[in-house]
């Protein structure tokens, strides 16, 4: 079984990356695990042309296909997203927009293999879990339209820099036990 852990932040060495590192370490004991960062890839914004509603393909060709190849080969997908202005970072939102060819609300649409399990982790600096829930909701909305089963989520408040992650390690490893 393959697991894909995604750093949905553009920061490669911040708090999100640290959480991705811990989750990847835990999962690699049980799964063939790969981690990626959204900023490893170069892609354009969705132009909203809706060509994909008729063709199931985007008119643009870039690294989106590389990311979707990672999705396709994974059995388990864990998206780890910080709050940027109370929602997922723009880079990850831009990726989701470009997944419209795979969205199940139109026919034809592209597909990835079925049976995938999706997990969501949100982190933020502020104290209220409600904002984490909003981020988890954004990720789970995306999973739903790609027919990835939503299997669990974790919200971590009061985290700004990676130094704040170590004291939360037990929460993160407990979460991993259910993956
Ligand atoms: C552009 C930007 C916007 C942010 N907006 C929020 C916010 O609305 N609420 C919040 O609690 N934290 C916010 N934060 C803090 C981040 O969620 C927090 O620092 C997180 O740990 C960042 O992880 P990263 O450095 O791995 O991207 C913001 C950080 C940045 C850089």
């Amino acid at each position: 079984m393959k697991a894909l852990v995604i750093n949905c932040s553009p920061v490669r060495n911040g708090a999100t990356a640290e959480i991705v590192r811990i989750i990847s370490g835990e999962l690699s004991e049980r799964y063939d695990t790969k981690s990626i960062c959204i900023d490893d890839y170069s892609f354009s914004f969705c132009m909203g042309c809706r060509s994909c509603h008729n063709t199931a393909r985007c008119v643009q060709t870039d690294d989106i296909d590389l990311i979707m190849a990672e999705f396709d080969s994974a059995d388990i997908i864990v998206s780890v997203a910080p709050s940027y202005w109370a929602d997922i970072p723009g880079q990850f939102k831009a990726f989701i927009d470009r997944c419209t060819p795979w969205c199940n609300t139109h026919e034809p649409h592209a597909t990835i293999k079925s049976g995938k399990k999706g997990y969501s982790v949100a982190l933020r600096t502020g104290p209220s879990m409600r904002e984490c829930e909003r981020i988890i909701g954004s990720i789970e909305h995306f999973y739903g339209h790609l027919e990835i089963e939503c299997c669990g989520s974790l919200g971590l408040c009061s985290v700004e820099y990676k130094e704040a992650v170590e004291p939360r390690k037990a929460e993160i490893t407990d979460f991993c036990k259910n993956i």
Side-chain angles (χ1 to χ4, degrees), residues 50-177:
R50 294 174 175 76
S51 292
C52 62
H53 287 200
N54 298 314
T55 64
R57 290 185 58 81
C58 187
V59 294
Q60 308 180 86
T61 304
D62 51 29
D63 287 353
I64 292 295
D65 288 337
L66 297 178
I67 307 176
M68 292 315 285
E70 298 292 355
F71 269 64
D72 198 36
S73 67
D75 304 288
I76 292 158
I77 295 163
V78 186
S79 301
V80 187
S83 173
Y84 278 16
W85 286 86
D87 214 318
I88 53 176
Q91 290 85 344
F92 192 58
K93 178 63 165 67
F95 160 68
I96 291 176
D97 288 348
R98 284 290 306 281
C99 287
T100 305
W102 286 266
C103 181
N104 67 358
T105 52
H106 53 79
E107 289 293 349
H109 62 82
T111 55
I112 51 174
K113 286 185 213 83
S114 62
K116 297 179 192 304
K117 292 182 184 300
Y119 297 83
S120 312
V121 178
L123 61 142
R124 65 171 301 212
T125 297
S128 162
M129 190 56 84
R130 203 162 159 193
E131 196 169 296
C132 288
E133 284 161 5
R134 179 167 160 175
I135 289 157
I136 290 162
S138 295
I139 299 168
E140 291 191 342
H141 180 92
F142 165 63
Y143 284 163
H145 283 303
L146 266 66
E147 299 179 5
I148 297 167
E149 185 187 0
C150 299
C151 293
S153 63
L154 174 69
L156 295 164
C157 299
S158 307
V159 174
E160 179 147 28
Y161 299 113
K162 65 178 172 188
E163 293 72 21
V165 174
E166 180 60 29
R168 314 295 290 275
K169 196 171 174 185
E171 281 170 78
I172 299 165
T173 54
D174 278 354
F175 171 72
C176 290
K177 286 178 188 147

Side-chain angles (χ1 to χ4, degrees), residues 25-46:
E26 292 292 316
L27 297 188
S28 64
E29 291 175 13
R30 285 174 283 136
Y31 305 113
D32 175 7
T33 303
K34 180 168 184 177
S35 62
I36 61 172
C37 176
I38 196 66
D39 209 42
D40 293 341
Y41 300 91
S42 173
F43 52 86
S44 304
F45 290 123
C46 171

